[in-house]
């Protein structure tokens, strides 16, 4: 399993948003002096790679611990916006092609906002400037773009930049917050206000998004984990952002196609014809390996195709073979990707090498199902004697 680390390391003196507390990490205890190594951490709630709660820009809005954990994990929907100029705006046009975040919805329409399955990542390329003054000149979200994200059902947005709003050199959270206090709609942080006001978490200072980009460009879904520290009442907290490409087996399988009457009829005809011809390979190819069988002459239920094949081979070893098989009174009941085929079957068989014969008049029920490869297989066969 390949893992992608999308977090910047926490270090003393690392870059922070202008005006935020500086990060200080120092030794508090040592093995030599105290018997154990312990670090002392001093940092702000938005240090390094971190998640913003709605509370960050709105008093009375949700704190991190009030949000469902499901918001912090999901499959990435990544948009490459590396062509946006440093300090330029990410517009609604840049995001027009994003898929809905929820479990339902058509392209360009909202999904189920109460059950978002995807997390939106904006790949700006700014992580390459981390630790330099250029990092302050990052792309930012126009209000219309932030609203489009909300309208598509997203409740988690992340980017490899300092903020979803523009950052002015020399500005501080306090400066812009002052603007916001005079404008309850969030004039200081318009993109924050739109996203947070609709219950979104915002993840900033991601790094390594080119790994996610390459994996998704290659056709793989990528699962994200963006869980913050558990700090009650927090407006934000550092996170260890990681991701992993999902193996094909982990992807949600497509719902099997419904069976058609013609498909079931053809599958039943093949099975009956193979039995009538005592064509062992063609006959057993019609069954799922997990198929079960109930035959009235047998004392026990047969729990698999291989169990029936063992019984069949013992019949053949004694000289048994089918001489005639006639199917009548056929009926098909369609049940989505499953169907029930029933018929009356008159059979004449040779029972031994001396030419002994036996005839039977029976009713048979066969359950067919759509296989994973799209074909049709028998998953159960029940044979009972017709009343005389």
């Amino acid at each position: 399993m390949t893992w992608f680390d999308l977090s910047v390391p926490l270090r003393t003196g690392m870059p922070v948003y202008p005006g935020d507390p500086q990060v200080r990490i120092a030794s508090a205890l040592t093995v030599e002096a105290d018997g154990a190594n312990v670090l002392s951490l001093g940092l702000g709630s938005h240090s390094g790679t971190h998640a913003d709660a709605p509370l960050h820009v709105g008093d009375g809005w949700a704190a991190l611990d009030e949000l469902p954990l499901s918001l912090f994990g999901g499959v990435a929907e990544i948009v490459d916006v590396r062509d946006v100029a440093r300090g330029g705006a990410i517009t609604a046009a840049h995001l027009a092609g994003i898929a809905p975040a929820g479990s339902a919805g058509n392209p360009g329409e909202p999904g189920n906002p109460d059950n978002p399955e995807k997390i939106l990542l904006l790949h700006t390329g700014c992580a390459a400037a981390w630790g330099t003054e250029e990092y302050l000149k990052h792309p930012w979200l126009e209000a219309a773009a932030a609203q489009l994200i909300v309208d598509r059902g997203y409740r988690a947005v992340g980017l490899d930049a300092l903020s979803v709003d523009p950052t002015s050199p020399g500005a501080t959270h306090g400066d812009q917050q002052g603007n916001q206090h005079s404008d309850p709609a969030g004039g200081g942080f318009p993109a924050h206000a739109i996203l947070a006001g609709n219950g979104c978490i915002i993840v900033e200072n991601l790094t390594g998004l080119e790994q996610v980009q390459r994996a998704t460009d290659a056709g793989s879904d990528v699962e994200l984990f963006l869980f913050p520290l558990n700090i009650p009442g927090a407006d934000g907290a550092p996170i260890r952002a990681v991701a992993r490409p999902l193996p094909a087996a982990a992807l949600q399988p497509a719902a099997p196609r419904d069976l058609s009457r013609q498909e079931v009829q053809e599958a039943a005809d093949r099975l009956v014809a193979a039995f009538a011809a005592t064509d062992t390979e063609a006959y057993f190819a019609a069954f799922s390996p997990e198929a079960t069988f109930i035959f009235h002459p047998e004392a026990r239920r047969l729990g698999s195709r291989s169990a029936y094949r063992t019984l069949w081979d013992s019949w053949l070893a004694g000289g048994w073979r089918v001489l005639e098989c006639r199917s009548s009174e056929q009926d098909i009941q369609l049940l989505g990707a499953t169907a029930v085929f029933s018929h009356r079957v008159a059979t004449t068989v040779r029972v031994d090498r001396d030419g002994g014969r036996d005839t039977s008049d029976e009713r048979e029920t066969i359950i067919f199902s759509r296989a994973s490869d799209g074909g049709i297989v028998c998953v159960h066969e029940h044979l009972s004697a017709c009343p005389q």
Side-chain angles (χ1 to χ4, degrees):
M1 174 67 71
T2 300
W3 287 89
F4 304 146
D5 191 348
L6 309 180
S7 312
V8 296
L10 288 172
R11 306 182 193 278
T12 296
M14 69 185 293
V16 296
Y17 192 90
D20 277 14
Q22 293 295 315
V23 175
R24 294 182 175 86
I25 303 175
S27 173
L29 303 175
T30 66
V31 170
E32 182 178 1
D34 307 289
N37 290 317
V38 176
L39 291 176
S40 170
L41 306 179
L43 68 166
S45 55
H46 300 266
S47 298
T49 305
H50 65 274
D52 292 356
L55 179 62
H56 180 46
V57 292
D59 287 337
W61 289 358
L64 279 180
D65 60 314
E66 296 172 329
L67 298 171
L69 286 174
S70 59
L71 293 187
F72 300 92
V75 174
E77 172 78 7
I78 190 166
V79 181
D80 189 347
V81 289
R82 286 176 289 182
D83 59 342
V84 176
R86 292 292 175 89
I90 301 170
T91 68
H94 288 111
L95 307 182
I98 62 174
S103 57
N106 297 316
E109 298 179 1
N112 178 0
D114 296 323
N115 184 30
E117 295 178 348
K118 293 185 177 181
I119 295 173
L120 183 64
L121 295 181
L122 304 177
H123 186 194
T124 70
C126 284
W130 173 257
T132 72
E133 287 296 317
E134 287 296 308
Y135 195 67
L136 298 176
K137 303 173 185 177
H138 57 81
W140 47 274
L141 281 173
E142 280 191 344
Q147 188 61 52
L148 184 147
I149 291 169
V150 170
D151 292 344
R152 296 285 169 88
Y154 287 90
R155 296 298 176 263
V157 183
L159 76 169
D160 54 344
L162 188 58
S163 175
V164 293
D165 284 299
T167 302
S168 301
T172 68
H173 271 144
D175 293 337
Q176 291 189 286
Q177 193 69 20
N179 293 337
Q180 187 188 2
H181 284 162
S182 64
D183 178 4
F189 298 106
H192 274 86
I194 292 169
L195 296 171
N198 286 277
C200 290
I201 60 167
I202 302 167
V203 174
E204 296 162 332
N205 294 333
L206 288 164
T207 191
L209 290 188
E210 64 278 358
Q211 302 169 95
V212 179
Q213 189 83 60
R214 284 195 298 267
T216 56
D217 288 349
S220 175
D221 278 359
V222 176
E223 188 174 22
L224 295 172
F225 302 89
L226 306 172
F227 295 100
L229 296 175
N230 188 359
I231 306 174
D235 60 279
I239 67 174
R240 182 66 181 270
V242 296
R244 61 180 180 181
L246 287 172
L251 303 180
Q252 184 67 29
R257 291 182 293 111
D258 289 353
L259 295 176
S260 69
R261 188 170 298 275
Q262 181 179 348
E263 287 178 304
V264 176
Q265 185 66 63
E266 291 174 351
D269 289 346
R270 287 193 298 270
L271 188 150
V272 171
F275 178 81
T278 323
D279 186 339
T280 299
E281 298 307 320
Y283 180 54
F284 281 92
F287 297 104
S288 164
E290 294 80 28
T292 56
F293 307 85
I294 298 176
F295 300 147
H296 67 93
E298 300 299 322
R300 293 185 177 86
R301 169 182 174 272
L302 302 175
S304 66
R305 180 177 66 185
S306 63
Y308 182 20
R309 177 66 183 265
T310 299
L311 178 63
W312 174 278
D313 289 343
S314 71
W315 294 344
L316 294 180
W320 180 94
R321 70 171 291 115
V322 181
L323 301 177
E324 184 181 14
C325 179
R326 290 181 288 108
S327 173
S328 63
E329 301 177 22
Q330 296 183 350
D331 184 71
I332 295 174
Q333 182 182 7
L334 298 176
L335 302 168
T338 303
V340 179
F341 173 85
S342 60
H343 64 151
R344 185 169 184 168
V345 56
T347 307
T348 301
V349 299
R350 188 181 69 194
V351 296
D352 53 38
R353 298 190 184 280
D354 296 330
R357 294 189 175 200
D358 183 52
T359 60
S360 59
D361 184 15
E362 298 161 313
R363 292 195 182 278
E364 185 176 50
T365 299
I366 303 171
I367 300 178
F368 289 100
S369 183
R370 178 80 67 189
S372 59
D373 63 0
I376 302 175
V377 290
C378 170
V379 296
H380 182 72
E381 187 175 82
H382 190 120
L383 192 66
S384 57
C386 272
Q388 298 300 317

